[in-house]
Each structure stands twice: as structure tokens, then as C-alpha cells.
């Protein structure tokens, strides 16, 4: 199993540009989560999907952020337009959720986003 | 609402000694799971150990053990025989049962430094 795959690993973009982060979850997992990590705010849950359906997007900072999961093997997080304060590490994680709750998350390696 | 608190921003330990990282949690849900993750300087999130709210015994995984005190709502991580490679950020996290679809809430983290 290749684990959760995120791309790109690093992204540097100019303010105002559109940024798209990609995630491939572990096959068989039914839930996918997008987190953002900053020094000031720690790990924040942005949005999560269950069976490809967005369940809770209350952590999405504002309308500039959007996320999709068109199928069980792919998700995107888009920022348009990007701003310097969006600079952070963005993690995607997947898990099996249902019944027992002793299934941990598997995290991707993260995307380090820098908006200049 | 669920909350995780890690009160130690940083901890220092001598190599080969044991160290305890504190974690307290708050939830009204009787069914929940507690997790510890390690984040080395390379940035990936590594799952260490899990404790379920109904588990009778404290969880152990190699040099890691979880000191679970349900009445006090604490889930401290104990690392025995510390190694230089244990230097990292450590996160405590909680996931509740019910219909929350597995949302994982993280504490702010503790930076552990192991001295030779």
C-alpha cells in the first residue's frame, strides 16, 4: 500500500493565483480529511468527506477555499485567489470510519504552500 | 464539543530516560478514542498508539505506553528509554463515536528534545 499520496510536496505561488492541492487516499478508506498546520493555529481540520460526501466544512476559512471529492480515490483542495496568510502545510488524511472507532488516520506527507 | 489540551509546549529528557507527555481531554460522549502522533522535523505525521474509552487496560506499543485515567480525563504518553530519534513534536488527538463521522481533534502539541 502506497499510503496517502499528496501532490505537490511544495508549492510557491504569487498572491492572487489559484492553487490546487491533490490527494489520493488509501484504497478502501471511506473518509478523507484536509488539515492545515501553522505555527500559530496548530492543526486545523478544514473539511472532511465520508463516502465522497462533504460532511463538515465549517473549518474552511472562507469562500476562497473549496474542496471536492469526485470519487473514492481522489480529492482536491483549491484556493482562489491565494493570499500570503494561506501559507501553511496542508495535510490530507484518510481513514475507515464506521462501527469501532479504533482506526487511526493515515496522513499524507503534506503540501508546503508558500504564497508570496 | 470536544477539546484536547496539551499543557507542555516543550519537554527535555536525557537519552535512555523515560518521559511523560501530558494530555487531557473533554467530551460528553461515552465512546471515544485517543491517539498519539509523532511529527519529526521532516514533517510527516506518524501514528504511535491508540486507547479506546472502553478499553480496560492501558495501551502499549513497544517503548510507548498510554497512561489512561478516565476519571481524570487524561491520556498521557509515556516513552521509555528515550532515544535521540524521539526528538519531535507529539500530538494528542481524540475522536468520538456516534454520528461525528470520525472527526479527529488535535491538541497543540509538545516538542520533545532528547539530549545525549
Amino acid at each position: 500500500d502506497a499510503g496517502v499520496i499528496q501532490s505537490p510536496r511544495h508549492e510557491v505561488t504569487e498572491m492572487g493565483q489559484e492553487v490546487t492541492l491533490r490527494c489520493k487516499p488509501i484504497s478502501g478508506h471511506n473518509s478523507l480529511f484536509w488539515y492545515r498546520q501553522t505555527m500559530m493555529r496548530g492543526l486545523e481540520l478544514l473539511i472532511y468527506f465520508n463516502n465522497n460526501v462533504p460532511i463538515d466544512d465549517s473549518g474552511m476559512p472562507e469562500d476562497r477555499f473549496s474542496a471536492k471529492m469526485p470519487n473514492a480515490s481522489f480529492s482536491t483542495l483549491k484556493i482562489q485567489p491565494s493570499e500570503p496568510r494561506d501559507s501553511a502545510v496542508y495535510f490530507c488524511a484518510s481513514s475507515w470510519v464506521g462501527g469501532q472507532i479504533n482506526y487511526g488516520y493515515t496522513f499524507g506527507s503534506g503540501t508546503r504552500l508558500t504564497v508570496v | 464539543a470536544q477539546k484536547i489540551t496539551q499543557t507542555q509546549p516543550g519537554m527535555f529528557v536525557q537519552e535512555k530516560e523515560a518521559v511523560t507527555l501530558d494530555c487531557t481531554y473533554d467530551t460528553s460522549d461515552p465512546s471515544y478514542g485517543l491517539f498519539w502522533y509523532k511529527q519529526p522535523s521532516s514533517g510527516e505525521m506518524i501514528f504511535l498508539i491508540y486507547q479506546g474509552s472502553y478499553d480496560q487496560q492501558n495501551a502499549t506499543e513497544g517503548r510507548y505506553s498510554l497512561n489512561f485515567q478516565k476519571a481524570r480525563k487524561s491520556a498521557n504518553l509515556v516513552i521509555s528509554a528515550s532515544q535521540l530519534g524521539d526528538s519531535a513534536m507529539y500530538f494528542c488527538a481524540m475522536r468520538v463515536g456516534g454520528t461525528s463521522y470520525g472527526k479527529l481533534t488535535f491538541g497543540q502539541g509538545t516538542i520533545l528534545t532528547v539530549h545525549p
Side-chain angles (χ1 to χ4, degrees):
Chain A
D1 193 340
V4 176
I5 300 173
Q6 288 187 248
S7 63
R9 288 295 306 273
H10 301 275
E11 176 80 35
V12 180
T13 190
E14 291 186 348
M15 182 174 61
Q17 296 298 306
E18 176 180 294
V19 176
T20 299
L21 311 181
R22 297 173 174 79
C23 176
K24 176 179 169 54
I26 289 177
S27 176
H29 282 183
N30 65 353
S31 295
L32 183 140
F33 306 79
W34 283 100
Y35 279 87
R36 177 171 69 175
Q37 185 178 29
T38 60
M39 288 292 292
M40 291 299 295
R41 301 175 69 89
L43 275 159
E44 304 173 275
L45 178 64
L46 300 177
I47 185 171
Y48 65 97
F49 298 84
N50 182 262
N51 293 322
N52 312 337
V53 175
I55 301 300
D56 184 351
D57 65 355
S58 60
M60 297 285 261
E62 48 198 274
D63 292 345
R64 296 185 297 106
F65 286 69
S66 63
K68 294 182 179 179
M69 191 166 187
N71 57 60
S73 59
F74 184 66
S75 177
T76 59
L77 177 68
K78 186 176 293 186
I79 307 172
Q80 166 63 22
S82 57
E83 297 182 2
R85 59 193 169 120
D86 301 331
S87 297
V89 179
Y90 290 81
F91 286 103
C92 174
S94 71
S95 180
W96 169 260
V97 177
Q100 297 182 22
I101 57 171
N102 58 336
Y103 295 103
Y105 287 23
T106 301
F107 281 77
S109 299
T111 294
R112 182 174 295 277
L113 174 64
T114 303
V115 183
V116 298
Chain B
Q2 299 83 41
K3 187 176 180 181
I4 291 281
T5 303
Q6 295 179 253
T7 57
Q8 306 156 314
M11 287 286 286
F12 295 88
V13 66
Q14 205 72 26
E15 193 178 9
K16 300 181 183 177
E17 294 186 348
V19 63
T20 298
L21 306 184
D22 294 342
C23 172
T24 58
Y25 60 92
D26 188 24
T27 180
S28 57
D29 197 311
S31 177
Y32 53 89
L34 296 155
F35 302 80
W36 278 91
Y37 284 84
K38 172 184 179 181
Q39 187 177 41
S41 57
S42 53
E44 70 267 34
M45 295 287 285
I46 303 168
F47 168 72
L48 295 178
I49 196 167
Y50 166 84
Q51 179 84 42
S53 60
Y54 297 118
D55 293 344
Q56 295 298 311
Q57 294 187 333
N58 288 342
T60 60
E61 290 286 347
R63 295 186 299 108
Y64 304 108
S65 60
L66 201 153
N67 184 1
F68 182 46
Q69 298 187 44
K70 197 170 183 177
R72 298 180 59 185
K73 294 190 174 181
S74 74
N76 299 338
L77 176 71
V78 180
I79 305 175
S80 62
S82 298
Q83 302 172 355
L84 296 179
D86 295 333
S87 294
M89 175 78 90
Y90 289 81
F91 290 98
C92 180
M94 177 171 65
R95 177 162 155 179
V96 298
T99 58
S100 67
Y101 291 94
K103 177 179 176 179
L104 195 65
T105 302
F106 283 86
Q108 286 297 101
T110 296
I111 299 175
L112 175 66
T113 303
V114 180
H115 290 302

